[in-house]
Amino acid sequence: MPESSAAAGSGRTIPGTPAPVTPFPAVGTSVPGSVGTSLQILRSLDSGPRGLVEAHAEERLARFGENVLPAWRPVPWPRRFVRSLRDPFTSVLLCLGLVSAVVSAWGTACVILALVAVSCLLRSTEEHRADRSTAALRELVATTATVVRRTSADAPSREREVPVADLVPGDVIRLGPGDLVPADVRVLRAGGLTVHQSALTGESAPVAKHPLDAPDPALAGAGPFAQPQLCFQGSSVTSGSGTAVITATGGATRFAAAHDGRARQRGASAFDRSVQGISWTLIRFMLLTPPLVLMANAALRGRGLETLPFAVAVAVGLTPEMLPVIVTTALARGAARLARTSGVIVKRLPALHHLGAVDVLCLDKTGTLTEDRPVVEAAVDGSDLPDPGVLRWAALSALWTLQLAELPAPDALDEAVLDAAEHPEDSAYEGVAALPFDPVRRVATAVLRRPDRLGVHTLVTKGAVEAVLERCALDGEERERLLALAARKAESGLRLLAVARADRPARHGGYTPADERGLTFVGLVALRDVPAPSAADALDVLARRGVTVKVLTGDHPGTAARVCEDLGLRTDPAGGCGEVVTAELVDTLSDAELARVADRATVFARCTPEHKARIVSALRAAGHTIGFLGDGVNDLPALHAADVGICPRNAVDVAREAADVVLAEKDLTAIDRAVLAGRHSSGNIATYLRITLSSNLGNVIAMLTAGLMLPFLPMLPAQVLVQNLCFDAAQLAFAFDRPGASALRRPAVLRSRDFLRFITGFGLLNAAADLATFGVLALALHNAAGTDGEAAFHAGWFTENLLTQALVMVLLRTGRSAAERRAGGPLRAAAGGLAVVGVLLPLTPLGPLLGMSALPLLYYLLLGSVLGLYAVGLTAARRRYERRR
């Protein structure tokens, strides 16, 4: 992981005339930009409402540095190498090597320490490559900000997108829904602006922000986060829009002062916990092995501490030393390949494994199951009669809300209304103020003025039917009639916008949501969704891969159900849940009840952001691995709650920052490719664990058994360790293997019970082949005696062990057709190289140095028979295992 260190020149200050801006103070003192009027603050920053001149901005950037948190420098290679020793397997190996050195078993100690060095070298190298790849990918989704600048002092100002890192104090920026606040700022102008400050205060409720030039006595003594004119880096815009001037950047921000390097560290993922659980089980067995070997040899053979190096070597033989290297390499290669071929960016490597394990995908239908392009079907009044005026009022509200609230773009419904209306911009009405839509109020309001009606302002409110009717002056009977009318239309699959208006005396003060009362109902605008062309096929593919899709939407139940049924997504689960689960039902359920309902249901309607997060959490509690696809501010809680947060590249800044995976576009086909890549990497890791652990267990059982039967050690400690080193080198090929088709058909999950059954069964089979070789050696070497016989025995067993391990690497790749197993590739090449080393090493000058001698031809003939029988048994056992799965 990268480590943080303070960047040089982190205090970014701009000397000004009336009130200079100082570096960020300690918590509890005054905050830059909090004292004085907006004009005074602009002057102190040598800026103005029209923004900075480009040349001045470049000077400030060069002088004060980039707008980034204290720099995340790459970990130096020596430190990364030493940090690799913290891996549990590597730590145990190091301890065993030191124990060997203490008892003067220098050969064993040297080989073990060499093994530790090679493992640390490979791991640190792969981690370095993975960090470089991840950093390069993150640059593709770097956050930008809308800044107001001028090319010269006399030139008009213009808005442009710049990287957040290029912002400087004095820059004037625009803020809109979903934007991350890129620095500490002073609000100059706002329209319905609310921000989330949970990253700084821990409070989840959004906070309203607006300009404040005169001191407010009610805020005397309040902290900086309560100041309505201040926004801080780490916040995100929930609703509304605004213009602000930057007062502090980078290390001078309050976020930098309150968060150190630990803020970015994540806890262990589910995959990490699974691997760690398997690792510690093996480590416990490893630690028990040396004392058991010593006690057994002392009781049966009368041997003492001279067997300690052998006991240590046997314990080392059980260790999957390459596990950290294989995991890092497989995930890094998968992420790089996914970015290169599909434009999918994995921001955290463990998220790629989670993608492979996803069995439930939660998403909103808009833009995914449907095109993000609804079309207006009709506009009717309260009597269900066509009325063009309803569409006209809705278009006026959409137009002036978009312009006055400074929204970056209209949402899909507003865009559809504007497209269907006839030139609303030509109306005589002029916008006065706007209260933009937010997911809590579920309405938007534009305040209009007409020249021929002086002294009168017209409020036009549109939004969810229930929310608008709550704000209308209606008796209970009329409200129920209109709700029933809307329900009939919604049940047919239409999306509805209710429209209401009211005339109020003109005033100079601002408007608030409290003014959205006593309205007159105008009518309903009905829209229909256009299904995405690729959605039906993508849903079918995901279903075949074992991924269940669940729709979490804020729309009406009928609208959601209609779209899902058109696409063939089942919405009538058994269990009495009905076709669609509504938010009202979710509110009545306990967490345990919701977990059971969520497991069966397919569509959840009328969901708020909190509902989405709770449903995702309930599904996780039921044992599912959840992926959540979202792109808006309202999706943020669910993105955090899911195992894998997914968003498209054009999502709002705050969603893109929170997501683990970023798609080139909001498309289920891209998610399918990402799931396949995750299963590819996870399948290689699981195959490595199965093959390595079963082979290692078989070798350990055979050596322990033979060690008690023979008058001499079956293999010398150095031979055991060299054999282990050869096998480790060959195992690197697992990171480059192509998993079988069956591994891609279902979610990749590491199940401890399945692993234990696999490694026990195939480990015993491997041990049987090793012990059969004992008989072959006895027959082939019956005339040999003394030291020559021991050296030949060691060479024979060394050769057999490497040959059986090569066979296991090729034949135990489960889930493959015969053609796939015969196909070439790095794994077969590595297995071939391992076999060649096993046969030739005893015949080279290195053989006698390791205590091995040449073998008679009879041994190789007999060994071929044993290996043939072992291959037949291995194939039969593998097929039986696959049938049982």
Side-chain angles (χ1 to χ4, degrees):
M1 292 285 288
E3 297 179 354
S4 63
S5 58
S10 60
R12 294 162 175 77
T13 64
I14 302 292
T17 46
V21 177
T22 59
F24 194 83
V27 176
T29 61
S30 62
V31 178
S34 62
V35 180
T37 66
S38 298
L39 182 59
Q40 289 174 329
I41 297 300
L42 287 169
R43 286 177 177 173
S44 71
L45 294 165
D46 195 17
S47 183
R50 296 192 299 155
L52 294 175
V53 176
E54 291 284 0
H56 295 167
E58 292 175 3
E59 291 174 3
R60 296 185 184 190
L61 183 63
R63 181 180 175 189
F64 302 112
E66 293 185 333
N67 175 36
V68 295
L69 290 178
W72 288 77
R73 298 174 181 170
V75 179
W77 187 88
R79 183 181 298 177
R80 194 187 296 275
F81 182 88
V82 173
R83 202 174 61 180
S84 300
L85 294 173
R86 293 186 302 185
D87 174 73
F89 285 125
T90 308
S91 299
V92 170
L93 282 179
L94 182 61
C95 292
L96 293 175
L98 295 177
V99 168
S100 300
V102 168
V103 298
S104 300
W106 299 111
T108 302
C110 289
V111 176
I112 291 178
L113 294 177
L115 198 60
V116 170
V118 170
S119 177
C120 290
L121 177 63
L122 290 173
R123 183 178 185 184
S124 57
T125 300
E126 290 303 328
E127 283 186 350
H128 178 66
R129 291 177 179 173
D131 282 351
R132 286 175 56 189
S133 298
T134 303
L137 294 178
R138 290 178 68 92
E139 290 297 322
L140 298 177
V141 289
T143 304
T144 62
T146 303
V147 66
V148 178
R149 286 183 181 171
R150 295 168 289 159
T151 56
S152 65
D154 299 328
S157 60
R158 60 187 182 92
E159 296 181 3
R160 55 187 286 254
E161 294 288 320
V162 301
V164 166
D166 292 347
L167 296 176
V168 295
D171 262 330
V172 175
I173 62 171
R174 308 290 193 200
L175 297 173
D179 287 348
L180 290 168
V181 178
D184 290 355
V185 302
R186 168 75 178 248
V187 177
L188 303 176
R189 187 172 62 177
L193 181 65
T194 62
V195 301
H196 267 302
Q197 300 182 147
S198 56
L200 295 158
T201 65
E203 298 178 0
S204 59
V207 179
K209 298 292 182 179
H210 56 81
L212 183 66
D213 282 341
D216 188 346
L219 297 175
F225 302 111
Q227 302 294 328
Q229 77 276 23
L230 301 179
C231 294
F232 299 95
Q233 185 182 38
S235 307
S236 59
V237 179
T238 306
S239 62
S241 60
T243 301
V245 60
I246 293 177
T247 59
T249 59
T253 64
R254 198 166 193 87
F255 187 84
H259 292 72
D260 59 14
R262 292 185 296 273
R264 290 194 180 188
Q265 294 180 3
R266 290 176 175 262
S269 65
F271 173 65
D272 294 332
R273 291 193 295 270
S274 299
V275 172
Q276 289 171 5
I278 296 170
S279 300
W280 284 110
T281 301
L282 292 173
I283 287 172
R284 293 186 188 99
F285 189 73
M286 287 171 55
L287 296 177
L288 286 174
T289 299
L292 289 176
V293 172
L294 288 174
M295 289 187 293
N297 276 276
L300 298 179
R301 293 289 177 183
R303 299 168 181 156
L305 284 177
E306 66 271 15
T307 59
L308 180 59
F310 174 72
V312 170
V314 170
V316 172
L318 186 63
T319 309
E321 302 92 348
M322 302 303 293
L323 179 59
V325 180
I326 298 295
V327 169
T328 302
T329 305
L331 295 179
R333 290 189 71 253
R337 182 172 57 248
L338 194 57
R340 184 175 62 254
T341 60
S342 304
V344 177
I345 298 168
V346 179
K347 295 169 59 181
R348 283 192 314 117
L349 286 184
L352 187 61
H353 173 267
H354 291 330
L355 276 172
V358 162
D359 60 341
V360 175
L361 176 64
C362 298
L363 47 83
D364 195 345
K365 65 180 182 59
T366 305
T368 308
L369 301 181
T370 63
E371 292 184 355
D372 201 1
R373 185 181 56 83
V375 295
V376 173
E377 181 84 1
V380 298
D381 61 15
S383 301
D384 199 18
L385 298 175
D387 185 351
V390 175
L391 182 60
R392 176 173 169 272
W393 284 115
L396 286 170
S397 175
L399 174 68
W400 287 109
T401 301
L402 174 64
Q403 293 188 11
L404 296 178
E406 299 178 345
L407 300 179
D411 68 16
L413 295 181
D414 283 351
E415 199 166 24
V417 168
L418 291 171
D419 288 343
E422 295 183 0
H423 307 295
E425 64 276 7
D426 295 339
S427 169
Y429 282 91
E430 178 186 357
V432 174
L435 299 174
F437 179 89
D438 70 63
V440 178
R441 289 166 44 246
R442 301 175 66 198
V443 298
T445 297
V447 183
L448 311 178
R449 177 178 58 228
R450 190 167 181 172
D452 58 356
R453 300 192 62 186
L454 298 178
V456 175
H457 285 171
T458 301
L459 278 70
V460 184
T461 299
K462 62 174 176 54
V465 175
E466 296 90 340
V468 171
L469 292 180
E470 285 177 1
R471 292 162 169 79
C472 290
L474 299 171
D475 57 37
E477 183 177 345
E478 179 66 7
R479 181 177 287 105
E480 291 301 320
R481 186 187 70 81
L482 292 173
L483 285 172
L485 171 63
R488 289 195 300 273
K489 290 186 170 295
E491 286 170 1
S492 66
L494 295 174
R495 303 173 69 179
L496 297 174
L497 280 176
V499 184
R501 67 183 182 91
D503 289 333
R504 301 284 167 79
R507 69 185 192 212
H508 295 293
Y511 286 85
T512 69
D515 295 306
E516 299 169 335
R517 293 288 183 269
L519 307 177
T520 301
F521 181 77
V522 175
L524 299 171
V525 178
L527 305 98
R528 58 181 174 85
D529 289 316
V530 180
S534 62
D537 292 338
L539 287 171
D540 184 57
V541 170
L542 287 171
R544 291 201 303 271
R545 301 202 193 284
V547 178
T548 301
V549 174
K550 295 184 183 293
V551 179
L552 280 56
T553 179
D555 287 341
H556 186 280
T559 305
R562 171 67 178 273
V563 171
C564 294
E565 289 168 4
D566 289 345
L567 295 171
L569 189 63
R570 188 171 62 92
T571 60
D572 55 347
C577 293
E579 288 191 351
V580 178
V581 176
T582 62
E584 290 77 9
L585 175 60
V586 171
D587 289 334
T588 65
L589 300 175
S590 66
D591 290 343
E593 292 170 336
L594 179 59
R596 291 192 293 270
V597 171
D599 200 35
R600 298 191 300 265
T602 301
V603 180
F604 300 82
R606 295 299 193 204
C607 291
T608 65
E610 290 72 24
H611 287 122
K612 294 181 180 181
R614 190 174 173 223
I615 292 167
V616 169
S617 298
L619 289 167
R620 289 190 67 191
H624 297 287
T625 302
I626 310 299
F628 183 85
L629 173 63
D631 60 358
V633 178
N634 59 327
D635 295 320
L636 193 61
L639 285 169
H640 284 300
D643 292 284
V644 187
I646 309 170
C647 77
R649 192 176 296 182
N650 60 355
V652 297
D653 292 346
V654 65
R656 204 163 60 236
E657 184 69 20
D660 301 303
V661 177
V662 179
L663 309 177
E665 55 188 14
K666 196 174 182 181
D667 182 14
L668 287 180
T669 304
I671 295 181
D672 175 59
R673 292 194 292 267
V675 167
L676 280 182
R679 293 183 183 180
H680 188 137
S681 297
S682 300
N684 286 343
I685 296 170
T687 300
Y688 160 77
L689 283 172
R690 290 191 180 98
I691 292 177
T692 300
L693 296 183
S694 61
S695 179
N696 288 358
L697 180 63
N699 289 339
V700 168
I701 292 173
M703 279 193 286
L704 292 177
T705 304
L708 298 176
M709 296 171 59
L710 294 172
F712 55 87
L713 295 178
M715 291 185 71
L716 299 178
Q719 295 165 357
V720 175
L721 296 173
V722 169
Q723 169 191 287
N724 203 40
L725 185 60
C726 293
F727 192 30
D728 286 342
Q731 287 169 336
L732 278 174
F734 282 109
F736 302 87
D737 191 25
R738 181 184 297 276
S742 65
L744 305 178
R745 285 198 293 266
R746 56 181 178 270
V749 181
L750 292 175
R751 296 185 177 90
S752 299
R753 181 175 299 178
D754 178 63
F755 267 79
L756 182 61
R757 184 166 55 245
F758 185 96
I759 66 175
T760 301
F762 286 95
L764 291 174
L765 185 60
N766 184 276
D770 287 346
L771 293 175
T773 306
F774 176 76
V776 169
L777 287 167
L779 181 61
L781 304 175
H782 68 281
N783 292 327
T787 305
D788 291 339
E790 291 183 19
F793 187 94
H794 293 156
W797 210 336
F798 180 89
T799 297
E800 183 270 345
N801 278 336
L802 290 189
L803 290 177
T804 54
Q805 287 173 335
L807 270 179
V808 165
M809 289 178 65
V810 174
L811 297 180
L812 217 53
R813 297 160 67 211
T814 57
R816 288 165 172 78
S817 64
E820 287 176 323
R821 283 191 293 273
R822 286 194 299 267
L827 196 63
R828 291 179 65 87
L834 187 64
V836 170
V837 171
V839 172
L840 297 183
L841 185 62
L843 306 178
T844 66
L846 188 59
L849 294 177
L850 293 173
M852 295 184 288
S853 63
L855 291 159
L857 180 61
L858 176 62
Y859 168 74
Y860 293 105
L861 296 176
L862 294 175
L863 179 61
S865 301
V866 171
L867 293 177
L869 291 174
Y870 178 54
V872 171
L874 201 62
T875 302
R878 189 201 69 244
R879 289 175 178 171
R880 182 171 181 271
Y881 171 79
E882 290 174 350
R883 286 196 300 270
R884 291 184 62 181
R885 292 186 72 188

